[in-house]
Amino acid sequence: MVRWLPLAPATVLLLLFLAGPIGYCVWIAFTDTQLTGASGSSFVGFDNFRRAFADGDFRNAVLLTLVFTFLSSIVGQNTLGLALAGLMRAASRPVRTVTGALVIASWVLPEIVAAFLLYAFFRREGTLNMILGWLHLPSQNWLFTLPILAVSFANVWRGTAFSMLIYSAALSGIPQEIGEAAAVDGASGPRRLWHVTLPMIRRSIGTNLMLNTLSTLSVFGLIWAMTRGGPGNRSQTLPVFMYDQAFVNSLIGYGTAVALLLLLVGALFSVVYLRLMKVEV
Amino acid sequence: MRPTAPLILAAAATVLTAGSLTACSSGSGSDPDTVKVAYNRSTDNKIRFKDEHFQSVKEQFEKEHPGKKVELLPIQAPDNDYATKAQQMMRSPRTAPDLVYEDTFRISSDIEAGYLRPLDPYLAKWDSWDRFVDTAKEAAKARDGRTYGVPDGTDTRGLWFNKEIFARAGLPAGWQPKNWDEVLDAARTVKQKVPGVIPLNVYTGKGPGEAAVMQGFEMLLYGTGADPLYDTTAKKWVAGGQGFKDALAFVETVYGEKLGPDPSDALDPNIGTKVATEWFPEGKLAISLDGSWMGQNWINGGPRAWPEWETALGQAPMPTQHGRAPGKVSMSGGWAWAIPRKAKNPDLAWEFIKTLQTAENAVRWDVVGAQIAVREDVARDPEYLKSMPGITFFTALVGHTHYRPALPVYPQVSTAIGEAMEKVTTGDGSPESAAKEYDEQLRTIVGDAVVGG
């Protein structure tokens, strides 16, 4: 009992500011609360969730969220981060410094600034098309034709630094002798990577995947500023869908239910990583 | 899994839920001598006529009421976001303004939510109320028969066209299309004879929001028959019937035949600013289905001075689909001043409304805001009548105008229409499939209160 006392203030604060709002959100998700148009709200059970699963736009949002997460986090940030970390170990100091500074700069930028930068890069009269024009290549209009690809690219550009730092730390923890021994035994580069390096940094990979996935699942500002989830609903991931329902259609209850479902998606990913990668948390 | 894992998951949960659904509040004390006025500031930093007008009324009010203060709370955001922010402010007495500027199409929704207080006791003692035209008095009247807002102007809509481009295309300077086909034919002629200009702009999609639904879709829909959106006698919403599909087909034709702006421009929330400050003045746009207030962008002190607009542009009424009587169609909206239920100083707020609506201020607001008058005395005022070329044209449309269904669910229905428009604009769906999806959404929104479909 006495041992718990020092923890009591922190526990109370956690309950008040963490568990409290979450509990309130869970409650709201089971009501038909609206921001406007109805004065009262009542308990409606699982109606909001039933509505979500019957809603084509919700299914579209789930699909796009998975595409966005897979492309930008699992494939993009993760492999690019590992590749950069690996290459930078072999590079000379000035190259390392410059590359590191550039990659980290894009990560340090506030989300909204990065979003506008990439919007200016991708838009029809934007930087990318100017460069393509100089090279006499056909122009693109990804923000309109393939918006989910454009925002995925934006997220890779912005979030790779995090993976790079984690993998740099992980790789520097591998003793040189192990790699040399494998080389003496005649293992080629790719085999050394697959059989020696990756297993040794397995835990870092798991941790990185988990953190990346969770932060990518909840990306809102980047997509909102670049496409607003449009055109149509071609880049409407779950957080954008949630915002649209809660604040554009004023359906706070439904929006919160979607938020809980998003939480569920995040939890599923986390459980998979915990099981597969034996991540230590 | 270590025992800390649930904590990490809980932290993620907070980020995903609580973090994304909390509203920030503009902290405000409750000073009994200060009236807090929330209004929407234009997202275009060059458009400040509204701020300047309210500022001058504030100074006037403070001079006339010694010891009282007015605190203007401009909210700079697109209309949708402004409404959301205002609703959040009105939820709590700590943040509720004393006076809020409301778009009349949302007001019934906010009345239903219990955000506003009835103004009848104040109106009963106010002589000027009799000068308001009946339709304007109805604009902020709820189903309980009480009035919740004082409108300060209205608007009408029609076709604006560039006479210079028309001359080059061999079209008449006195163009008056009789039906939809003549509008499309003129656009096709422009496309053929004057390459490089945008023939016809019809606002569309979720980005422009209500601007697309009202200026674009409803200007078409209300030309297809009587009560095409909401059946007032049956008190039911009309599911996407033939008129609905025809209006969508018109939008599809405009964008499918490349008669309109590039879809990526058309779906941009800021297209309205582009039309007014770039495309029209630079002679890049031939026809726009647009509002009576367009001129305010080009007059002195507007965001884009363009003195030639008076001679360069012509106006024509939007025709009905096949020229059915009365042959022209217009939609009207407008904004109103309302007092939140949780306002701390309602009486002082009412005093400020009275100052806003003195005869001189009412005229000046309609002039600087390029509004169509809602008061008989303003409509007769010589300063108002000569304030803007075309004002007589747009004031005359009031006789053929329609108002949106003043019902709490209208904003949601509007969103559904915006989505249907966006689908046919991007080519993601046909008018039939978009109308079908609209029907499904309509049933979700209003339950059984639907006819047809």
Side-chain angles (χ1 to χ4, degrees):
Chain A
M1 187 64 215
V2 177
R3 279 197 313 176
W4 279 99
L5 271 182
L7 280 177
T11 315
V12 170
L13 283 177
L14 275 178
L15 283 176
L16 201 63
F17 292 105
L18 203 74
I22 293 172
Y24 181 64
C25 276
V26 172
W27 161 246
I28 292 276
F30 290 92
T31 66
D32 57 2
T33 307
Q34 291 196 20
L35 186 59
T36 177
S39 51
S41 63
S42 53
F43 182 80
V44 293
F46 282 94
D47 274 10
N48 286 328
F49 296 92
R50 267 197 291 275
R51 175 179 179 168
F53 289 115
D55 186 341
D57 285 342
F58 172 79
R59 289 196 295 268
N60 170 68
V62 172
L63 186 68
L64 284 176
T65 307
L66 295 177
V67 169
F68 179 67
T69 307
F70 183 76
L71 277 183
S72 67
S73 159
I74 299 173
V75 177
Q77 291 178 5
N78 199 32
T79 41
L80 193 61
L82 181 57
L84 279 171
L87 290 171
M88 276 167 72
R89 287 196 77 199
S92 61
R93 180 170 282 279
V95 173
R96 237 192 346 240
T97 317
V98 171
T99 316
L102 282 176
V103 176
I104 290 172
S106 64
W107 186 49
V108 171
L109 279 182
E111 186 178 42
I112 195 76
V113 178
F116 278 119
L117 272 177
L118 284 146
Y119 172 75
F121 179 74
F122 279 116
R123 47 176 255 164
R124 226 162 24 101
E125 303 93 15
T127 328
L128 179 58
N129 276 344
M130 278 172 62
I131 296 167
L132 289 173
W134 289 330
L135 300 174
H136 298 289
L137 290 167
S139 64
Q140 55 75 39
N141 189 10
W142 283 6
L143 282 178
F144 185 72
T145 50
L146 282 168
I148 195 70
L149 203 61
V151 293
S152 298
F153 179 87
N155 196 38
V156 172
W157 182 85
R158 192 170 172 264
T160 299
F162 183 77
S163 304
M164 186 183 86
L165 293 175
I166 287 207
Y167 287 134
S168 292
L171 290 177
S172 61
I174 300 177
Q176 289 270 319
E177 302 86 54
I178 296 181
E180 284 162 10
V184 168
D185 288 343
S188 61
R191 286 192 63 178
R192 278 211 303 278
L193 174 75
W194 187 250
H195 290 288
V196 179
T197 314
L198 287 183
M200 291 196 73
I201 59 166
R202 195 193 65 212
R203 287 227 159 115
S204 299
I205 295 176
T207 310
N208 180 46
L209 274 173
M210 182 148 154
L211 291 170
N212 257 339
T213 306
L214 287 178
S215 69
T216 300
L217 276 178
S218 61
V219 165
F220 172 80
L222 195 70
I223 300 179
W224 187 253
M226 281 177 75
T227 67
R228 289 220 153 192
N233 51 13
R234 288 185 221 162
S235 59
Q236 196 180 40
T237 57
L238 274 172
V240 178
F241 178 77
M242 177 171 94
Y243 179 92
D244 275 341
Q245 294 304 330
F247 296 123
V248 178
N249 293 350
S250 313
L251 303 171
I252 300 279
Y254 184 42
T256 315
V258 173
L260 287 188
L261 290 168
L262 174 62
L263 180 62
L264 203 65
V265 175
L268 281 176
F269 270 106
S270 307
V271 168
V272 169
Y273 294 140
L274 289 171
R275 288 269 172 276
L276 281 186
M277 304 279 187
K278 310 269 193 300
V279 179
E280 294 268 342
V281 282
Chain B
M1 210 194 276
R2 284 201 211 161
T4 44
L7 260 188
I8 291 208
L9 289 184
T14 323
V15 171
L16 289 174
T17 52
S20 47
L21 288 180
T22 45
C24 56
S25 66
S26 60
S28 59
S30 58
D31 173 5
D33 293 326
T34 304
V35 56
K36 297 201 298 286
V37 182
Y39 69 94
N40 56 332
R41 170 178 279 174
S42 169
T43 51
D44 184 337
N45 285 326
K46 293 190 220 124
I47 300 182
R48 287 291 172 265
F49 64 88
K50 190 187 294 175
D51 308 67
E52 286 154 14
H53 177 76
F54 294 162
Q55 185 63 33
S56 78
V57 176
K58 162 188 151 96
E59 284 159 17
Q60 201 180 323
F61 180 86
E62 287 174 351
K63 206 182 302 169
E64 288 167 8
H65 302 75
K68 307 291 183 200
K69 279 202 141 40
V70 178
E71 189 188 341
L72 296 174
L73 305 170
I75 296 168
Q76 186 168 6
D79 284 351
N80 277 345
D81 298 345
Y82 165 74
T84 302
K85 171 81 182 164
Q87 283 153 1
Q88 286 173 342
M89 286 165 83
M90 290 190 284
R91 283 179 88 84
S92 153
R94 282 193 329 103
T95 53
D98 296 307
L99 199 56
V100 63
Y101 202 39
E102 287 248 355
D103 193 331
T104 50
F105 98 87
R106 296 183 195 278
I107 205 163
S108 51
S109 187
D110 282 353
I111 295 167
E112 200 78 8
Y115 288 147
L116 305 174
R117 62 174 67 206
L119 304 178
D120 301 68
Y122 298 115
L123 293 169
K125 296 197 289 257
W126 190 43
D127 324 341
S128 302
W129 191 231
D130 293 336
R131 299 188 184 135
F132 284 75
V133 296
D134 289 342
T135 44
K137 285 182 177 177
E138 294 291 315
K141 205 174 208 164
R143 290 189 283 191
D144 62 7
R146 292 188 289 184
T147 305
Y148 288 79
V150 176
D152 63 359
T154 184
D155 46 34
T156 52
R157 285 152 180 76
L159 292 160
W160 291 79
F161 61 95
N162 185 318
K163 294 181 193 165
E164 292 158 10
I165 297 177
F166 265 46
R168 276 189 280 157
L171 291 161
W175 183 60
Q176 297 276 330
K178 300 279 175 296
N179 53 42
W180 288 3
D181 286 337
E182 290 187 20
V183 177
L184 290 172
D185 286 343
R188 289 179 187 123
T189 310
V190 170
K191 184 178 164 72
Q192 204 186 336
K193 300 256 175 72
V194 195
V197 303
I198 300 161
L200 168 63
N201 170 51
V202 176
Y203 293 108
T204 183
K206 292 187 299 186
E210 185 60 14
V213 174
M214 193 174 178
Q215 264 102 273
F217 189 79
E218 287 167 356
M219 285 294 286
L220 296 161
L221 184 68
Y222 277 81
T224 62
D227 291 341
L229 191 59
Y230 180 75
D231 185 338
T232 39
T233 42
K235 291 211 175 354
K236 288 187 178 214
W237 290 86
V238 182
Q242 197 51 45
F244 199 96
K245 287 177 198 152
D246 290 348
L248 283 176
F250 186 98
V251 175
E252 187 189 43
T253 307
V254 170
Y255 289 95
E257 289 188 23
K258 300 212 178 344
L259 300 171
D262 184 278
S264 53
D265 286 328
L267 300 174
D268 189 321
N270 301 316
I271 183 175
T273 311
K274 243 185 200 155
V275 168
T277 59
E278 289 174 35
W279 292 348
F280 258 142
E282 290 164 14
K284 289 180 183 163
L285 174 64
I287 313 165
S288 184
L289 182 49
D290 225 311
S292 51
W293 59 84
M294 285 298 276
Q296 89 193 134
N297 294 294
W298 309 311
I299 50 177
N300 312 334
R304 167 77 195 237
W306 185 34
E308 301 82 20
W309 76 274
E310 302 176 17
T311 48
L313 296 184
Q315 297 105 15
M318 179 68 192
T320 50
Q321 186 177 8
H322 303 298
R324 206 177 61 98
K328 37 183 107 156
V329 60
S330 167
M331 298 293 301
S332 284
W335 289 66
W337 288 104
I339 303 179
R341 193 173 287 273
K342 293 183 175 165
K344 288 278 198 322
N345 305 316
D347 296 352
L348 203 57
W350 174 253
E351 288 304 313
F352 191 69
I353 291 185
K354 277 171 35 185
T355 310
L356 281 163
Q357 280 298 328
T358 61
E360 304 81 58
N361 284 343
V363 170
R364 206 155 51 91
W365 167 244
D366 284 350
V367 170
V368 298
Q371 299 272 321
I372 303 297
V374 288
R375 291 171 52 153
E376 290 154 4
D377 53 346
V378 176
R380 286 195 311 268
D381 191 280
E383 192 195 340
Y384 166 78
L385 287 169
K386 64 176 171 43
S387 63
M388 186 84 75
I391 195 133
T392 17
F393 166 81
F394 281 111
T395 308
L397 286 178
V398 171
H400 306 286
T401 203
H402 299 269
Y403 292 86
R404 291 159 293 182
L407 292 161
V409 291
Y410 176 77
Q412 286 178 42
V413 175
S414 162
T415 308
I417 294 175
E419 283 173 14
M421 291 182 90
E422 188 141 333
K423 283 199 180 78
V424 298
T425 304
T426 54
D428 285 356
S430 66
E432 283 72 25
S433 67
K436 193 165 151 290
E437 276 186 52
Y438 167 77
D439 290 0
E440 286 164 14
Q441 283 195 316
L442 192 61
R443 282 191 167 71
T444 320
I445 298 164
V446 303
D448 303 332
V450 175
V451 289

